[in-house]
Amino acid sequence: MTTETRPRIKITYATLRNDNEELHALYDAGVEQSRAALGAAHKNLIDGRWVDGSAGTFEARSPIDRDILLGTFAKGDRADVQQAIDAARRAAPAWRQTAWRDRLRILNAAAELISERQMKYGADMAVEVGKSRSRRLARSRKPRT
């Protein structure tokens, strides 16, 4: 079994330099993808279906600037959680009976999607927690004592 993957920049302390133009260009593209998704509405995924939360919705805003709406999210309640647990329990026997090679293929596909989206996810997390790129790079370059 082989899977083809596109080469990606390996992110290490050595590649997190201010002069790494490739990394910055990739991150800039991730920032644009992240910006395009700001303010979107998000539902809960329960039993393979996207559903509204029984308890309504809530907004998440960036701590950098409270005017930046990260998104509106479905607010689940105890019944929603129980439905998700019940769905997971119903799915478990089929997953357990799935051949290990098929499970591996599914997990590798999920890992590939995460890797493809790493820069967008990095930008999402930076905005969510209120970090700027320059602050993050500066922190990673501080000398150790």
Side-chain angles (χ1 to χ4, degrees):
M1 178 180 90
T2 60
T3 58
E4 278 188 47
T5 59
R6 286 180 279 132
R8 285 190 191 75
I9 189 168
K10 185 173 183 176
I11 299 173
T12 66
Y13 285 110
T15 61
L16 287 175
R17 303 181 319 261
N18 280 330
D19 64 346
N20 188 332
E21 292 187 25
E22 179 187 13
L23 176 67
H24 287 288
L26 291 168
Y27 187 73
D28 286 341
V31 167
E32 289 308 312
Q33 292 171 342
S34 184
R35 277 191 185 135
L38 287 175
H42 304 274
K43 295 184 175 191
N44 292 329
L45 181 62
I46 300 177
D47 204 12
R49 293 184 319 275
W50 292 102
V51 297
D52 293 322
S54 297
T57 61
F58 69 94
E59 287 185 349
R61 295 189 173 272
S62 174
I64 297 171
D65 179 346
R66 301 303 290 169
D67 289 335
I68 299 173
L69 176 63
L70 300 175
T72 304
F73 298 86
K75 185 174 183 180
D77 63 9
R78 185 177 223 121
D80 293 322
V81 172
Q82 191 58 56
Q83 287 176 11
I85 292 169
D86 292 344
R89 285 186 176 141
R90 285 192 305 275
W95 179 253
R96 187 172 33 251
Q97 292 174 2
T98 301
W100 71 268
R101 284 190 172 103
D102 293 334
R103 284 185 280 168
L104 181 61
R105 207 171 354 265
I106 292 165
L107 293 174
N108 280 337
E112 183 65 21
L113 287 172
I114 292 168
S115 292
E116 286 175 6
R117 299 170 184 172
Q118 69 181 346
M119 294 298 172
K120 180 193 179 300
Y121 291 162
D124 289 345
M125 287 184 266
V127 174
E128 182 179 2
V129 299
K131 299 287 182 184
S132 68
R133 177 190 345 214
S134 60
R135 182 172 173 200
R136 179 70 182 123
L137 286 172
R139 287 178 47 127
S140 70
R141 299 180 71 205
K142 284 185 181 175
R144 293 184 182 206
T145 56

